[in-house]
Amino acid sequence: MATYRAGILGLGRMGSTIDEEVKDYPAFPLPYSIAGSCEASECLELIAGADLLPEKREAFTERWGVRAVYDDFREMIRQEGLDLVAICTKGENHAELAVAVAEAGVPMMYLEKAMACSMVEADTVLHACQANSVAFNTGVLRRFDNRYHKLRELIEQGAIGQPRAAVHYAGSSLLHGHIHSLDTILYLLGDPPATTVWGELRPRELAFENNRLGQDPAAIYHVEFEGGVEAWTVPAGNWDFEVIGTEGRVRMLNNGQDAEMHQNRQVSEKRSKHVPVPVPAVEPYSSTRFCLEDLVRAHETGEPSLGNVEVTHRCTDLCFCIAESHRTGKRNTPPLANREL
């Protein structure tokens, strides 16, 4: 098995330290950090890290034993011959850094969500990754969680008939949170194209100044997809997801910790009811490790990664369509026309 050289840009929470924060929360199977996932994987070797802050570089070296640390990520890439770079910085820097990493010739990239703060920026990431044939995934980790894979498999096998609706349950911000909820809904439904998007930001009186917000607002949405499936978010709950079909429904509960399925059973000539059906148990696997190993698979085979840049770009566009719907008071048809928002 080939081993690939990995480096991390941004040595804080997701890059290095988050495992301590979530170690007692079974919704996030360990390892959850990029560094921990590289250490656990047989196909990745953690070689280097970069951060502007010397205290983070020192803590990273102490925690992971990696001595090749840099304040300049470009120098890190030049000196270390990296095959994979994980960008784990603040969101306002994601697009600029992703373009720079792609243009530096790194063949595999993990980019923390969201990929950009406008669709103009997201477009630059899309084009840079396409032009440089970069295998690309983002940190929307439910897409890489094998417990959600089981639900998608059941849906694809027709266990609930034809999907008609999908619902996400939890209050959330738009780019930091609903990029997760939308991506998970897309994944469970098989990544269908969206036809219309309605959205509202909270508080309802929130207004844009010069086509811009200086914050990541709370949001709700309704999305229609090709084939007639519709999706909503309900701003209450514990990060549950439900897909309702013509013959039943599946639901992921407690942020991925539990799953349930109900199927239609005929109880009379004219009536049926939903009855519980066991969901096959799945041994949880680190979603971060799966995400990084999926990049390796895509790099080696030439096949698309599970969260490839085109899929990520479309999901990001839906987030901005929600914001534009709030701004204009109208439904939007993707792709978003107001790329500067």
Side-chain angles (χ1 to χ4, degrees):
M1 176 184 294
T3 302
Y4 296 92
R5 297 168 64 86
I8 301 172
L9 171 50
L11 304 180
R13 188 168 176 260
M14 190 63 196
S16 176
T17 65
I18 196 171
D19 287 19
E20 284 301 311
E21 178 184 328
V22 302
K23 63 183 180 181
D24 298 320
Y25 185 34
F28 300 148
L30 299 179
Y32 200 69
S33 67
I34 296 295
S37 296
C38 288
E39 187 177 69
S41 178
E42 296 178 0
C43 60
L44 293 168
E45 182 180 3
L46 183 58
I47 296 296
D51 201 290
L52 295 175
L53 299 177
E55 60 268 27
K56 287 192 176 182
R57 298 196 298 271
E58 292 167 9
F60 183 76
T61 294
E62 182 177 348
R63 185 180 185 91
W64 301 105
V66 176
R67 303 202 171 277
V69 290
Y70 297 80
D71 60 1
D72 183 343
F73 75 93
R74 292 178 175 85
E75 184 67 14
M76 176 180 73
I77 293 171
R78 284 194 296 267
Q79 292 294 332
E80 302 299 337
L82 299 175
D83 303 302
L84 186 153
V85 168
I87 300 171
C88 302
T89 62
K90 293 182 179 180
E92 57 263 32
N93 301 319
H94 287 171
E96 177 184 359
L97 295 174
V99 170
V101 169
E103 292 180 346
V106 178
M108 293 179 278
M109 183 193 306
Y110 170 95
L111 179 63
E112 254 309 309
K113 45 77 187 172
M115 74 188 301
C117 292
S118 72
M119 286 312 297
V120 165
E121 292 180 351
D123 292 344
T124 67
V125 178
L126 174 69
H127 298 149
C129 289
Q130 289 175 331
N132 293 280
S133 301
V134 177
F136 177 96
N137 279 330
T138 52
V140 283
L141 293 174
R142 291 169 184 83
R143 177 176 286 265
F144 304 98
D145 188 318
N146 63 339
R147 296 168 295 185
Y148 291 83
H149 295 179
K150 173 54 66 176
L151 257 64
R152 173 162 161 165
E153 180 183 320
L154 290 168
I155 294 167
E156 288 179 336
Q157 291 172 347
I160 61 168
Q162 185 67 30
R164 304 308 303 158
V167 188
H168 162 251
Y169 300 90
S172 185
S173 62
L174 181 60
L175 289 183
H176 188 72
H178 281 313
I179 192 71
H180 282 292
S181 72
L182 285 163
D183 183 78
T184 305
I185 286 171
L186 283 167
Y187 175 72
L188 292 174
L189 295 177
D191 290 311
T195 55
T196 69
V197 179
W198 171 88
E200 184 177 86
L201 306 181
R202 302 293 175 86
R204 288 188 172 95
E205 63 271 17
L206 189 64
F208 288 79
E209 185 175 343
N210 297 321
N211 206 36
R212 183 180 180 87
L213 279 181
Q215 65 195 72
D216 184 17
I220 59 172
Y221 59 77
H222 171 238
V223 181
E224 296 176 306
F225 296 101
E226 286 186 6
V229 184
E230 301 186 36
W232 292 262
T233 185
V234 175
N238 194 27
W239 278 89
D240 300 341
F241 291 88
E242 184 172 28
V243 179
I244 305 163
T246 55
E247 300 298 327
R249 62 180 178 88
V250 289
R251 186 163 181 170
M252 186 66 82
L253 300 161
N254 299 315
N255 206 1
Q257 297 178 63
D258 303 293
E260 64 180 26
M261 177 167 62
H262 289 75
Q263 294 178 326
N264 279 5
R265 294 291 186 269
Q266 204 72 27
V267 295
S268 69
E269 183 178 344
K270 295 183 178 181
R271 299 189 185 280
S272 64
K273 69 176 183 178
H274 281 177
V275 298
V277 178
V279 175
V282 175
E283 181 66 30
Y285 187 87
S286 164
S287 55
T288 309
R289 180 178 173 183
F290 189 104
C291 176
L292 299 180
E293 291 176 343
D294 180 64
L295 287 174
V296 171
R297 177 198 60 79
H299 174 66
E300 291 183 341
T301 64
E303 298 174 354
S305 55
L306 188 58
N308 60 78
V309 71
E310 290 84 7
V311 166
T312 302
H313 185 266
R314 278 201 295 123
C315 188
T316 305
D317 190 74
L318 296 184
C319 284
F320 284 98
C321 282
I322 291 167
E324 180 71 346
S325 177
H326 173 93
R327 193 183 72 85
T328 63
K330 301 176 181 178
R331 298 191 74 87
N332 276 274
T333 301
L336 180 68
N338 183 7
R339 310 302 278 181
E340 298 283 352
L341 179 67

